[in-house]
Amino acid sequence: MTYLWATRGRSWGFRLLRTGGLDDPLPTYEAAFAAAADDVEVWQVTAAGGALRFPDPLGRRDRSGRVIPHDFVLLGGDAAGITSVEEGRRRLWPQVERVFAAAYDSPAPPTPRP
């Protein structure tokens, strides 16, 4: 599955932790979430494939007390078959859960991966 993933940790700010292999993933991310504003949960089909946002499944918060969101942009056909936030969470969360658990309390974000 090819996707972008953006989130934040307890003490580090919002970062793209997966780039989907794109040299410059930020424009793709911004276009995918342009219509989502600050919605807590999002599932929408986009030009790139699909935009998915859900709050941290374990309720983790940053040091300011804000619930941590997980934003994904699924690229191309990887969005096929997803029809809801819940379906997207079931498919994506297991792929990043351990990475986030290891990074959440770190003082700095992990290095982005393709």
Side-chain angles (χ1 to χ4, degrees), residues 4 16 18-20 22-30:
L4 311 178
L16 280 161
R18 293 285 190 272
T19 66
L22 302 176
D23 291 335
D24 186 7
L26 189 57
T28 301
Y29 170 81
E30 290 177 338

Side-chain angles (χ1 to χ4, degrees), residues 29-82:
Y29 170 81
E30 290 177 338
F33 283 96
D38 293 328
D39 295 347
V40 174
E41 292 192 339
V42 172
W43 168 247
Q44 58 191 15
V45 176
T46 68
L52 174 69
R53 174 183 294 148
F54 54 84
D56 186 81
L58 299 180
R60 287 175 279 212
R61 296 175 179 266
D62 66 14
R63 67 180 171 205
S64 297
R66 297 173 293 190
V67 173
I68 293 175
H70 296 278
D71 289 1
F72 297 88
V73 179
L74 289 86
L75 301 175
D78 287 333
I82 296 177

Side-chain angles (χ1 to χ4, degrees), residues 81-101:
I82 296 177
T83 59
S84 68
V85 171
E86 185 55 35
E87 175 63 27
R89 183 180 7 242
R90 277 196 304 267
R91 288 177 60 176
L92 271 295
W93 184 245
Q95 296 189 36
V96 300
E97 183 175 10
R98 288 184 184 185
V99 172
F100 188 69

